[in-house]
């Protein structure tokens, strides 16, 4: 991955700007940077503390204004709740919300006794695999914007996720533990899932899993850094127009040490996207290592 890093940033930023602007989620910014209005940090959730979190932060080494929170659930373990490292407060989702948008669309289709139409299937594919923002905007409108997302999330067990205003799906706010709840419905099969049965049916879960294992090569960073074999993921990245700092997030399922883990890493305050990705990858490795040692 380090050999591809410079080319990856150029490609990721260039392919993302047009879609965010078209979706109305951000305002134009110089140097083709993604931008968004600042969001208030008033929806704080529980705070994790103790030796495990201290050790985690010492390994991850956030710099300057960087913040990071990681949550890990061992699907092959006996725990029913994720291990959370850092302050489990809300962050902007950026493009990781695309998994939630797809879950809501599939759940609505389930309720109607149908599958997604051909157009929405095509949108879902490019939305997850290539992080296409126009497709995300279309599906966001299709599910009924934030109220539609909220209705689906109530059934999926998400308690601290709030949809972005209007068409600004990238400004949805979420916590690391909420992202584990969503991933658990998609991937959870072992004794550590914490849920008797998923809300999404088998076809819907398989659809999301398949797309998350097929992301474009230049977007295959993030929680995959903690894997030693298989992974499925979705990443998000967004530069704030008020601070010029970056939100960088990664969520997914990985295999490490023979165990299957759900991992969610949320961050903000990075000077560059590259700094944010490095932070997220360090956090993913540290969190999985700490969870495995428990």
């Amino acid at each position: 991955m380090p050999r591809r890093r410079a080319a990856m940033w150029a490609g990721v930023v260039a392919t993302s700007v047009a879609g965010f602007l078209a979706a109305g989620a951000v305002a134009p910014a110089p140097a083709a940077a993604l931008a968004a209005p600042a969001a208030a940090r008033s929806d704080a959730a529980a705070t994790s503390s103790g030796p495990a979190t201290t050790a985690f932060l010492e390994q991850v080494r956030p710099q300057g204004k960087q913040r990071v929170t990681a949550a890990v659930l061992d699907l092959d373990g006996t725990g029913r709740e994720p291990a959370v490292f850092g302050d489990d407060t809300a962050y902007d989702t950026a493009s990781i919300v695309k998994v939630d948008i797809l879950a809501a669309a599939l759940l609505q289709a389930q309720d109607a006794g149908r599958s997604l139409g051909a157009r929405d299937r095509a949108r879902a594919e490019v939305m997850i695999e290539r992080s296409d923002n126009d497709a995300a905007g279309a599906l966001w409108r299709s599910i009924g914007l934030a109220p539609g997302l909220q209705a689906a999330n109530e059934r999926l067990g998400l308690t601290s996720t709030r949809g972005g205003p209007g068409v600004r799906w990238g400004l949805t706010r979420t916590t690391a533990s909420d992202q584990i709840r969503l991933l658990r419905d998609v991937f959870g099969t072992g004794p550590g899932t914490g849920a008797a049965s998923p809300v999404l049916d088998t076809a819907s879960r398989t659809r999301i899993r398949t797309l998350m294992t097929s992301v474009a090569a230049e977007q295959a960073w993030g929680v995959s850094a903690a894997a030693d074999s298989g992974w499925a993921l979705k990443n998000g990245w967004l530069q704030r127009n008020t601070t010029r700092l970056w939100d960088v997030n990664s969520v997914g399922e990985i295999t490490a040490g023979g165990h299957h883990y759900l991992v969610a890493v949320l961050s903000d305050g990075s000077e560059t996207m590259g700094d944010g990705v490095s932070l997220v990858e360090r956090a993913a490795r540290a969190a999985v290592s700490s969870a495995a040692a428990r």
Side-chain angles (χ1 to χ4, degrees):
M1 286 184 61
R3 293 191 297 270
R4 303 199 308 265
R5 192 62 47 93
M8 181 176 69
W9 302 150
V12 166
V13 172
T15 56
S16 299
V17 172
F20 266 92
L21 298 179
V26 296
L34 300 179
R41 302 190 187 281
S42 59
D43 46 358
T47 299
S48 296
S49 60
T53 289
T54 299
F56 165 79
L57 292 174
E58 288 176 350
Q59 291 182 65
V60 175
R61 304 182 309 278
Q63 301 294 316
K65 295 183 178 180
Q66 287 182 328
R67 296 189 314 147
V68 63
T69 303
V72 179
L73 180 65
D74 183 354
L75 292 178
D76 301 309
T78 58
R80 296 175 62 86
E81 296 297 328
V84 179
F85 303 92
D87 185 6
D88 196 22
T89 191
Y91 292 77
D92 302 322
T93 58
S95 285
I96 63 168
V97 75
K98 292 169 182 174
V99 177
D100 204 2
I101 293 172
L102 178 53
L106 290 167
L107 189 54
Q108 289 180 359
Q110 282 179 214
D111 292 343
R114 59 175 175 80
S115 59
L116 288 182
R119 180 176 296 180
D120 282 347
R121 287 198 303 272
R123 287 168 173 161
E125 181 174 328
V126 296
M127 177 178 72
I128 301 298
E129 294 184 350
R130 302 206 298 269
S131 206
D132 186 275
N133 294 314
D134 290 338
L139 285 172
W140 177 249
R141 292 188 295 273
S142 175
I143 66 170
L145 308 177
L149 190 77
Q150 180 67 25
N153 284 346
E154 288 176 1
R155 296 168 62 185
L156 291 164
L158 279 65
T159 60
S160 302
T161 298
R162 300 293 177 267
V167 297
R168 298 182 177 186
W169 46 265
L171 296 185
T172 297
R173 302 276 285 169
T174 194
T175 62
S177 58
D178 245 16
Q179 287 302 298
I180 295 294
R181 295 182 182 101
L182 175 59
L183 294 170
R184 184 167 51 194
D185 204 85
V186 176
F187 293 96
T189 56
T193 61
S197 59
V199 175
L200 293 166
D201 64 21
T202 299
S204 295
R205 298 171 79 219
T206 299
R207 184 61 178 159
I208 298 174
R209 290 178 178 184
T210 300
L211 294 177
M212 290 179 69
T213 59
S214 305
V215 297
E218 67 270 16
Q219 296 179 23
W221 46 266
V223 297
S224 56
D228 58 25
S229 54
W231 54 262
L233 60 77
K234 183 70 192 80
N235 298 322
W237 54 95
L238 179 69
Q239 187 180 32
R240 310 308 302 271
N241 66 354
T242 53
T243 65
R244 313 308 303 161
L245 300 177
W246 285 83
D247 301 331
V248 180
N249 308 316
S250 184
V251 299
E253 190 261 0
I254 69 162
T255 302
H259 280 231
H260 298 83
Y261 296 96
L262 303 181
V263 187
V265 183
L266 308 181
S267 79
D268 61 18
S270 291
E271 291 284 347
T272 68
M273 182 177 169
D275 289 343
V277 173
S278 295
L279 175 67
V280 165
E281 293 187 336
R282 293 197 305 272
R285 288 190 292 264
V288 171
S289 176
S290 296
R294 290 191 167 194

